[in-house]
C-alpha cells in the first residue's frame, strides 16, 4: 500500500437553497496515495466537484459541511487556520478548472497571471521578476506550447481553447505541487485536441511525481489517464477499483450501466443511456440512492444505505448484492 496523501472519510455536505436544505454528499470516502493518479467518475450533478472543492476549502458560502474528515498530508483540512490554508493552496494543491476562459482573467496577460500564481507559491527567488518569467517560460514549454515568450505577452482571448487549457496546466504545475486536481479539463475542448491535452496532463504529473485527481463523466477518459477509479453516484462513492480491474468486471449496477454507455468501435448501435435521473437532493431516497433506477433493487435497498464492501483485493462496492447475507 502506498503512502497516503489524501484521506477523506464520511464527508457530508449540503447547500442552503431557496427551496430548503439539500443533502448532496452522503458520506463520501476516498483516498489518494502519493504519486497516484485517481479518477472520480459519475454523471453531472453527482457531487464530484463539491467533493474536490471541499479539499481546497473553496465551497460557496451556502455550503455546510455537516460531517466527516478531510486529511491532506497528515493535516486536518477542515480545521486549518488562514496561514495553513494559504500554504495548502500555494504549495500543496493546485486545481485545473473545466473552462479555461473562466479560469483565466481576460483583462490581464498570461504573463501577469502566471507570475502571480508563481509568486504565491513562495518558492525560492520568486520575488524577482526574472525568476518568475523563467519559471513561466519553462512551464509553458513543458506543456508543448510554441513560442512561450509571445504567449506570456498575450491576453487569453487571443489564444485558442486548447492553448488556454494548456496554459492552465502550465500554471498549475509551474512550481512543485503534491496534488493536482483536474475538473473535467477537456470537456470544453474540441475532440481532436482532448486527447493531446490529457496526454500532456498525465506526463506532466508523472514527471513531477505529483498525485492527480481527475474528475470526469467519461469512463473512457479515466481509462486513458488514471491508475484507480472511484465511481460516484448521487453523493457517494459506489465502487472503487484499479482501472484495469474495473474495466474487466463492474460490481455495482450503476457502474455496469455506465460501462454500457461507452460507444464501442465494434458497433452494436447507439448506447441508450441509463433510464431515469439522479434523485433530487432536497428529499433524496432514504436507502440506496440508486434504487429508483436499479433493476435489481430489493426491499432492503429502499430502507438502508449500503456501505462499501471489499469484494476482491482492491475492489469494493457499496451495494447489498455483495457482502454478508447477499
Ligand atoms: Fe441496486 Fe440495491 Fe445495490 Fe442499490 S443496493 S445498487 S438498489 S441492488
Amino acid at each position: 500500500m502506498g503512502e497516503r496523501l489524501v484521506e477523506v472519510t464520511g464527508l457530508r455536505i449540503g447547500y442552503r437553497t431557496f427551496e430548503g436544505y439539500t443533502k448532496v454528499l452522503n458520506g463520501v470516502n476516498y483516498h489518494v496515495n502519493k504519486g497516484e493518479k485517481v479518477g472520480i467518475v459519475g454523471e453531472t450533478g453527482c457531487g464530484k466537484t463539491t467533493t474536490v472543492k471541499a479539499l481546497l476549502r473553496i465551497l460557496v458560502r451556502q455550503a455546510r459541511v455537516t460531517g466527516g474528515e478531510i486529511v491532506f498530508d497528515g493535516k486536518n483540512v477542515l480545521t486549518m487556520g488562514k496561514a495553513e490554508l494559504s500554504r495548502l493552496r500555494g504549495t500543496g494543491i493546485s486545481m485545473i478548472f473545466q473552462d479555461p476562459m473562466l479560469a483565466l482573467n481576460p483583462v490581464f496577460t498570461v504573463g501577469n497571471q502566471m507570475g502571480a500564481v508563481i509568486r504565491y507559491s513562495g518558492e525560492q527567488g520568486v520575488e524577482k521578476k526574472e525568476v518568475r518569467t523563467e519559471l513561466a517560460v519553462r512551464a509553458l514549454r513543458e506543456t508543448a506550447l510554441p513560442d512561450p515568450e509571445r504567449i506570456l505577452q498575450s491576453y487569453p482571448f487571443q489564444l485558442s481553447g486548447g492553448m488556454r487549457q494548456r496554459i492552465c496546466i502550465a500554471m498549475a504545475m509551474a512550481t512543485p505541487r503534491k496534488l493536482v486536481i483536474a475538473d473535467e479539463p477537456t470537456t470544453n475542448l474540441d475532440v481532436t485536441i482532448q486527447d493531446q491535452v490529457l496526454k500532456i496532463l498525465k506526463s506532466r504529473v508523472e514527471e513531477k511525481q505529483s498525485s492527480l485527481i481527475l474528475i470526469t463523466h467519461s469512463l473512457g477518459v479515466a481509462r486513458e489517464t488514471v491508475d484507480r477509479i472511484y465511481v460516484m453516484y448521487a453523493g457517494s462513492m459506489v465502487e472503487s477499483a484499479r482501472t484495469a480491474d474495473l474495466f474487466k468486471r463492474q460490481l455495482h449496477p450503476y457502474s455496469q450501466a455506465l460501462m454500457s454507455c461507452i460507444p464501442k468501435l465494434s458497433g452494436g448501435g447507439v448506447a441508450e443511456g441509463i433510464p431515469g435521473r439522479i434523485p433530487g437532493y432536497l428529499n433524496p431516497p432514504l436507502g440506496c440512492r440508486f434504487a429508483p433506477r436499479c433493476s435489481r433493487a430489493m426491499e432492503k435497498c429502499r430502507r438502508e444505505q449500503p456501505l462499501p464492501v471489499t469484494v476482491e483485493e482492491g475492489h469494493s462496492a457499496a451495494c447489498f448484492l455483495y457482502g454478508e447475507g447477499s
Side-chain angles (χ1 to χ4, degrees), residues 12-45:
R12 289 181 188 274
I13 297 179
Y15 293 90
R16 280 179 291 121
T17 67
F18 284 122
E19 289 83 24
Y21 185 74
T22 58
K23 298 171 192 143
V24 179
L25 295 197
N26 189 27
V28 163
N29 301 305
Y30 71 96
H31 72 267
V32 183
N33 292 328
K34 289 190 175 166
E36 189 184 27
K37 300 185 287 300
V38 166
I40 301 180
V41 181
E43 283 165 277
T44 304

Side-chain angles (χ1 to χ4, degrees), residues 74-88:
K75 297 203 177 85
N76 187 341
V77 173
L78 294 176
T79 57
M80 275 182 183
K82 264 191 176 168
E84 262 187 308
L85 261 185
S86 188
R87 264 197 302 281
L88 175 84

